[in-house]
């Protein structure tokens, strides 16, 4: 299987919101679409799924135009897509039916994912018993009658943002999709549930799925994605294999921790100071030679070095360099 995006473009009148996006996924894995707000990420995803018309370009799945009616696609949208006043179970069965999952099978899958995502209490309300007020008034004897109070199934409006995200993740997973598209999948999640989502994403990768991820959490992108595209003002500004991109920058970031002020040594070595806090320094060097020169100075003057970590730039640093940290209106 393969996914090919060719010359994908979109305009609204004279405004170009995406210009000639091209990328290919020839094997399972995770591809990242990155960019500032309004750079064209969500527009790209919606065109791929046929939710928006294209001005130019095509999207091919196994050599044929991608059609969500015939291709098993799961989509987790950034914005909330649940009906706020309808029971969650009814919605999940409905969305599963849209993806061709029979009702009986849908119920099995819902039960599985409800347990995995820890939302069973919202989908399978249990009966609870309360001692009646009348019997309590009679002295609270051990023979007090009890009444059964049945909890109603939850609706989307009653859930927190994070739990709504879990239900929407279920709708994306319920058809066991071949292609899974995740737009800001970790939005609204606390650290515990973030790890829960990450574990499921790892399982989908191990199962040989094709994933496209859009996220502003660069550390998460680095954790999962092998290839990336960075968009800025509707145009591709960087694209390729993430490891190759980072290697092309070289090892130019130096984390240094000592036990005294070393500002004179940093200046003498010509190293750029980025941040300093309690003798922990983040530095920018031209390469290993300059970093080792600074280290030699410190050793020669018997200054204890606690940490000396020379590394490639992070994706966060590369992203900021490429897009300049600008913020735009979301498209």
């Amino acid at each position: 299987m393969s996914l090919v995006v060719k010359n994908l473009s979109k305009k609204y009148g004279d405004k170009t919101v995406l210009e000639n996006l091209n990328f290919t996924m020839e094997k399972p894995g995770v591809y990242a679409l990155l960019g500032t707000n309004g750079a064209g990420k969500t527009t790209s995803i919606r065109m791929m799924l046929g939710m928006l018309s294209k001005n130019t370009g095509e999207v091919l799945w196994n050599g044929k135009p991608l059609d969500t009616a015939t291709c098993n696609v799961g989509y987790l949208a950034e914005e909330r897509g649940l009906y706020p006043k309808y029971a969650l179970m009814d919605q999940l069965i409905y969305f599963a039916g849209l993806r061709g999952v029979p009702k009986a099978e849908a119920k099995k899958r819902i039960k599985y994912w409800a347990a995995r995502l820890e939302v069973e209490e919202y989908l399978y309300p249990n009966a609870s018993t309360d001692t009646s007020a009348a019997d309590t008034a009679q002295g609270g004897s051990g023979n007090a009658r009890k009444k059964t109070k049945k909890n109603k199934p939850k609706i989307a409006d009653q859930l927190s943002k994070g739990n709504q995200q879990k239900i929407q993740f279920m709708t994306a997973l319920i058809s066991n999709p071949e292609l899974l598209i995740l737009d800001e999948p970790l939005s609204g999640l606390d650290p515990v549930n973030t790890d829960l989502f990450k574990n499921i994403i790892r399982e989908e990768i191990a199962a040989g799925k094709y994933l496209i991820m859009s996220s502003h959490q660069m550390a998460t992108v680095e954790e999962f994605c092998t290839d990336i595209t960075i968009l800025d003002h509707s145009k591709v500004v960087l694209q390729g294999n993430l490891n190759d991109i980072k290697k092309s920058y070289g090892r130019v970031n130096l984390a240094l921790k000592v036990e005294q002020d070393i500002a004179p040594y940093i200046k003498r070595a010509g190293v750029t100071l980025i941040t300093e806090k309690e003798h922990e320094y983040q530095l920018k060097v031209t390469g290993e030679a300059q970093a080792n020169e600074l280290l030699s100075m410190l050793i020669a003057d018997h200054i204890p070095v606690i940490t000396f970590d020379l590394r490639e730039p992070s994706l966060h640093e590369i992203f900021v360099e490429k897009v300049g940290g600008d913020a735009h209106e979301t498209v």
Side-chain angles (χ1 to χ4, degrees):
M1 293 187 289
S2 66
L3 175 70
V4 179
V5 175
K6 291 184 179 179
N7 301 320
L8 209 57
S9 298
K10 181 66 178 178
K11 289 185 177 182
Y12 292 108
D14 294 332
K15 180 178 176 60
T16 299
V17 295
L18 185 68
E19 184 174 340
N20 291 328
L21 174 65
N22 294 272
F23 69 87
T24 300
M25 292 185 69
E26 295 181 345
K27 60 182 181 180
V30 187
Y31 196 101
L33 282 177
L34 309 175
T36 53
N37 293 331
K41 308 181 301 297
T42 299
T43 296
S44 302
I45 290 171
R46 289 174 177 171
M47 284 195 290
M48 291 171 58
L49 294 172
M51 299 167 64
L52 280 177
S53 61
K54 317 172 189 69
N55 287 106
T56 66
E58 59 182 345
V59 181
L60 304 177
W61 178 251
N62 292 334
K64 298 179 181 179
L66 176 62
D67 184 350
T68 56
T70 56
C71 175
N72 191 355
V73 181
Y75 176 40
L76 174 60
E78 179 181 9
E79 68 278 2
R80 295 294 171 264
L82 300 173
Y83 296 106
K85 302 299 182 183
Y86 288 86
L88 297 170
M89 178 64 77
D90 293 342
Q91 293 193 57
L92 286 166
I93 291 173
Y94 170 72
F95 288 127
L98 292 179
R99 303 307 306 153
V101 181
K103 188 174 181 178
E105 178 62 25
K107 288 183 175 181
K108 292 179 183 178
R109 296 183 186 184
I110 291 168
K111 191 173 184 63
Y112 170 79
W113 285 116
R116 288 296 315 279
L117 288 163
E118 301 175 1
V119 290
E120 291 171 295
E121 63 183 294
Y122 307 118
L123 295 169
Y124 305 101
N126 297 317
S128 62
T129 56
D130 297 309
T131 303
S132 69
D135 285 326
T136 301
Q138 295 176 3
S141 69
N143 296 322
R145 287 178 297 139
K146 293 184 178 181
K147 62 181 180 180
T148 299
K149 181 181 178 182
K150 186 172 178 60
N151 296 323
K152 293 181 179 179
K154 298 294 185 181
I155 61 175
D157 265 2
Q158 295 174 309
L159 270 59
S160 66
K161 182 179 179 181
N163 282 323
Q164 287 188 44
Q165 186 77 338
K166 289 183 177 183
I167 298 297
Q168 291 201 167
F169 198 20
M170 288 178 67
T171 68
L173 294 165
I174 200 165
S175 66
N176 191 25
E178 302 168 293
L179 174 61
L180 184 58
I181 299 177
L182 307 176
D183 196 353
E184 296 294 344
L186 306 182
S187 174
L189 300 178
D190 60 44
V192 172
N193 285 311
T194 293
D195 285 346
L196 180 61
F197 269 48
K198 285 183 177 181
N199 287 337
I200 292 173
I201 291 171
R202 291 188 189 98
E203 290 172 9
E204 294 297 299
I205 296 169
K209 304 296 182 66
Y210 288 70
L211 281 80
I212 295 175
M213 181 184 295
S214 176
S215 177
H216 287 126
Q217 300 183 28
M218 296 298 134
T220 298
V221 173
E222 283 198 83
E223 190 174 345
F224 290 111
C225 300
T226 53
D227 296 277
I228 66 169
T229 288
I230 297 179
L231 297 166
D232 186 38
H233 289 83
S234 77
K235 296 181 180 179
V236 174
V237 294
L238 184 66
Q239 188 174 67
N241 178 270
L242 180 56
N243 284 335
D244 291 342
I245 290 170
K246 293 176 72 172
K247 286 179 182 178
S248 71
Y249 280 81
R251 298 170 67 200
V252 295
N253 287 6
L254 176 61
L256 184 62
K257 183 177 181 179
V258 290
E259 295 181 342
Q260 67 185 70
D261 178 35
I262 58 167
Y265 295 89
I266 292 172
K267 184 176 181 181
R268 196 192 324 163
V271 173
T272 301
L273 174 64
I274 305 300
T275 63
E276 185 271 331
K277 179 183 177 183
E278 297 180 350
H279 309 319
E280 290 190 40
Y281 298 86
Q282 298 296 325
L283 307 167
K284 182 73 73 175
V285 298
T286 56
E288 291 187 26
Q290 190 181 43
N292 289 332
E293 180 184 355
L294 175 59
L295 180 61
S296 297
M297 290 180 185
L298 299 175
I299 292 173
D301 285 354
H302 307 289
I303 296 175
V305 176
I306 301 169
T307 301
F308 184 89
D309 182 19
L310 186 61
R311 61 175 178 80
E312 299 164 344
S314 67
L315 179 57
H316 175 94
E317 292 162 328
I318 294 170
F319 180 90
V320 171
E321 176 195 302
K322 287 299 179 182
V323 306
D326 293 337
H328 316 297
E329 292 298 318
T330 302
V331 175

